[in-house]
Amino acid sequence: DAGVIQSPRHEVTEMGQEVTLRCKPISGHNSLFWYRQTMMRGLELLIYFNNNVPIDDSGMPEDRFSAKMPNASFSTLKIQPSEPRDSAVYFCASSLLTGLAGGEQFFGPGTRLTVL
Amino acid sequence: EDQVTQSPEALRLQEGESSSLNCSYTVSGLRGLFWYRQDPGKGPEFLFTLYSAGEEKEKERLKATLTKKESFLHITAPKPEDSATYLCAVQAYDKVIFGPGTSLSVIP
């Protein structure tokens, strides 16, 4: 298996632009998680899905952030409009079991986002 | 307030010099504690899950233990390839909280 796939790996954009990050989870996994990692705040859970359904989006910082999972093999995290403080590494992870109690999450390589 | 702290922030060891990393937590209703390893430029890699006080897990040179308020990751006779940032995470009800990590450097 190729593992969790994320694209793009790097994204540089200007403030105000729309940014879309993409994730393909491991086939057969039932949960998908979006995280953000910064030096100041560490790794933060933004939202997670069970069987393609958003369960908890309380970590999404603002209404500018939205996430979708139209099917079991694809998810997007969109930021519109983007701001410099959104600059971070965004990770997608998937887990075989549903919910946070699954424990073992497989992380993708991340997307490094820079908003100028 | 739910919180996870890790110490030390950074640790430098000589190859073969055993040591321990600490993860302390204050959360309501612990569901599980997880240890991850993160190499520079990569996503975290799962190591262990601990669910109850007294539980221990081992993998190669690593051993994780759990008490009611903290967890330790013991590294026995580390090698340079063990150099990485080690993250612990705590699941409490419907949220997971990651600690800031310990950056480990093992010098040959």
Side-chain angles (χ1 to χ4, degrees), chain A residues 80-100:
Chain A
Q80 166 63 18
S82 59
E83 296 183 2
R85 58 194 167 121
D86 301 331
S87 297
V89 180
Y90 291 81
F91 289 103
C92 174
S94 69
S95 174
L96 182 62
L97 301 178
T98 56
L100 295 172

Side-chain angles (χ1 to χ4, degrees), chain A residues 68-79:
Chain A
K68 294 182 179 180
M69 192 166 185
N71 57 62
S73 60
F74 183 67
S75 177
T76 60
L77 178 67
K78 185 177 292 187
I79 308 173

